[in-house]
Amino acid sequence: MVIRRYWAVCTIAMLCILCYVLEHIVHWQTLEIHRLAWRGIARDSIFSTSFFWSFAPVSTVLHTGPIHLALNLWCLATLGSYLERRDGGVAIICLWGVSAYIAMGAEAWIGGVGRIGLSAVTYAMLGAILLDWREASRSPRRAWTGGVMLVFLTLGGLELLGLPPVAPEVAHVAHAAGLITGLIFALAWNWKRQVGSSG
């Protein structure tokens, strides 16, 4: 059964869909509250606020529109399913939490659009998969998805360097932070698994 095999990916996907329904159909005002709270917090004090520590994971499941949601769910299914088969559901949940805090912290500290969405997590998944990209990219869908994400990240980096913005409302800082977090997380997770097997 798909849900049992990919329980972590399915859980995150269902949370994203649920929050989207609450936000855009039931008119739950979480996204707007998030924006207002973000604007009211000084950069040097955000890490000491309860808003940051309580809302970083929530920010990863909030989306501004159907295209934003659909693209992130596609990346989650494509990359997350591979990662969950490789490392297990617990690793996915841990990576979700770690990348949420680091990506939102990077957005706050370096400066960004004030929201991260699930793309920070999917970029973390891409970073974790880069360790065995040759194996992962045997799937055309995964290779194409990862390649487009890396191109988009490169365009975002050029934008941060002062070039004309390609997508000014995209959290490029969070994407980069997610990618780096995923790579480091995968290295640490593999080391933990090797230590456990050798012991």
Side-chain angles (χ1 to χ4, degrees), residues 11-197:
T11 298
I12 296 172
M14 286 187 287
L15 282 172
C16 290
I17 294 169
L18 174 62
C19 286
Y20 184 82
V21 169
L22 289 172
E23 187 73 37
H24 296 277
I25 298 177
V26 185
H27 302 296
W28 192 40
Q29 295 299 310
T30 306
L31 189 59
E32 187 59 31
I33 292 170
H34 179 199
R35 288 172 178 162
L36 293 173
W38 183 275
R39 292 170 187 161
I41 296 175
R43 185 178 69 176
D44 58 354
S45 64
I46 189 169
F47 299 109
S48 63
T49 63
S50 59
F51 165 76
F52 174 79
W53 297 108
S54 63
F55 214 85
V58 177
S59 183
T60 64
V61 294
L62 297 178
H63 295 86
T64 56
I67 295 177
H68 186 202
L69 174 65
L71 288 174
N72 278 338
L73 289 180
W74 171 274
C75 294
L76 173 67
T78 303
L79 304 178
S81 59
Y82 175 83
L83 199 59
E84 189 161 359
R85 283 199 308 271
R86 191 188 75 182
D87 295 337
V90 174
I92 294 286
I93 298 300
C94 291
L95 181 59
W96 174 30
V98 171
S99 60
Y101 284 112
I102 292 178
M104 193 169 180
E107 278 281 306
W109 189 254
I110 300 174
V113 297
R115 60 182 180 276
I116 57 178
L118 191 66
S119 55
V121 181
T122 57
Y123 268 95
M125 291 176 176
L126 178 60
I129 290 174
L130 287 179
L131 288 179
D132 58 346
W133 182 246
R134 179 176 295 180
E135 175 67 26
S137 61
R138 290 182 179 179
S139 161
R141 185 178 68 172
R142 203 157 37 240
W144 179 84
T145 301
V148 170
M149 289 174 69
L150 289 174
V151 168
F152 198 66
L153 183 64
T154 302
L155 293 174
L158 294 175
E159 178 182 322
L160 292 174
L161 293 175
L163 270 69
V166 177
E169 291 299 314
V170 174
H172 297 301
V173 173
H175 291 173
L179 186 78
I180 296 169
T181 300
L183 183 58
I184 296 173
F185 183 91
L187 290 169
W189 192 267
N190 286 343
W191 176 80
K192 175 181 176 295
R193 186 167 51 189
Q194 289 172 4
V195 170
S197 62

